[in-house]
Amino acid sequence: MQPQLFRIDDRLIHGQVVVGWARNLKSNRIILCDDDVACNDWERELYLSCVVQTVETLVMNTEETSRYLADESHDVRKTIVLVKSPDVVEELIGFGYTPVSVNLGGIHFADNRKEFLPYLFLNDDEIKCLRSLESRGVEIYCQDVPTSKKYNLTEILLL
Amino acid sequence: MAQRYRVMHRIAAFIITHGDVASALKDALEKITGAHENIFTYSNKSDALPVLRQKILEQKAETAAEHTVIFVDFAGGSCWALGAMIQKEFEDVRLVGGVNLPMLVSFFTNQNQMEFDPLIKKIANDGRRGIVVQPEVE
């Protein structure tokens, strides 16, 4: 069973996810997968405060998330999974869970990153990581909000 | 060469928003109240949050105001998360969500007349009072 949306977004839980995706997809659960947030009570509360009460939010580290998603007894058909960077997907695979399809929803400008889309800036290591995921059969597409155009990764990297 | 005098301000105001809302708000505010040197605007459009945080902290250090207020457009979004992280780090920072023009006009009208915390309370109230529906609807 696959989650309804598996998303890479360096802002994790924010308006685009809560208003844009969760409402549109009628999600009932968000899994925030991040090692730092999972062990910081203050940050965990900050992200939880951004979500409406009708959507259950779980904050877990990478190992816990991998175990959770690999367990077929969890119904994740109405679940959104959020990670902040491509290397977290790599770690999840290392722990035993491989997503079928990954939404590249937002990686913003920082040093050494090049712009590919207004919401997508990538450095060489990130591109390498994404290509490696693709070569192992993970579908990767770029889309910030449900109403915007969807691009596949290869198409964007050629721009 | 004309000597440049640096005007010291008691309070520095940072507006962080989605899109170009912050700079448009500043522009509109200055049409009403005249120009301000203690107001700085940021968009979350392109920069990663740590990059934006660094820019804000550098400006905060340079401005060297006694107090800092951070206005964001949407409590519970990425601008809010960034503001909350800065607020947690510095005792002199207050964070206000839901910024609007009445709130900013109130801030710039009252900033030199009141103590910092009562001022923040007043401008948040003035922002709320600026939301009016006419005619009254059920």
Side-chain angles (χ1 to χ4, degrees), chain A residues 19-114:
Chain A
V19 182
W21 288 98
R23 263 190 214 173
N24 195 281
L25 299 173
K26 298 183 172 52
S27 313
N28 60 21
R29 190 185 298 119
I30 292 174
I31 296 177
L32 191 170
C33 165
D34 188 85
D35 289 351
D36 294 332
V37 179
C39 66
N40 181 326
D41 287 345
W42 185 84
E43 276 194 47
R44 174 196 290 257
E45 287 307 315
L46 175 67
Y47 285 111
L48 292 180
S49 73
C50 299
V51 187
V52 291
Q53 284 178 350
T54 49
V55 181
E56 178 194 20
T57 307
L58 305 175
V59 181
M60 297 192 279
N61 67 29
T62 313
E63 190 177 355
E64 289 162 344
T65 305
S66 182
R67 217 181 304 135
Y68 187 97
L69 293 174
D71 181 344
E72 288 290 323
S73 73
H74 291 129
D75 184 352
V76 292
R77 284 172 297 181
K78 287 282 175 190
T79 296
I80 293 175
V81 180
L82 299 170
V83 302
K84 72 179 167 202
S85 55
D87 56 321
V88 181
V89 183
E90 197 69 63
E91 285 170 36
L92 283 168
I93 294 174
F95 283 120
Y97 169 76
T98 306
V100 168
S101 172
V102 172
N103 163 238
L104 201 45
I107 297 180
H108 293 82
F109 175 77
D111 277 348
N112 303 322
R113 280 189 185 142
K114 190 182 148 214

Side-chain angles (χ1 to χ4, degrees), chain A residues 10-11 14-15 19 42-43 46-47 50 108-110 113 118 121, chain B residues 44-49 51 74 76-78 80-81 84-85 88:
Chain A
D10 61 359
R11 292 174 180 173
H14 62 122
V19 182
W42 185 84
E43 276 194 47
L46 175 67
Y47 285 111
C50 299
H108 293 82
F109 175 77
R113 280 189 185 142
F121 297 75
Chain B
N44 71 352
K45 196 162 39 177
S46 305
D47 285 337
L49 297 184
V51 174
F74 183 26
S78 61
W80 174 262
M85 284 170 194
K88 183 171 178 265

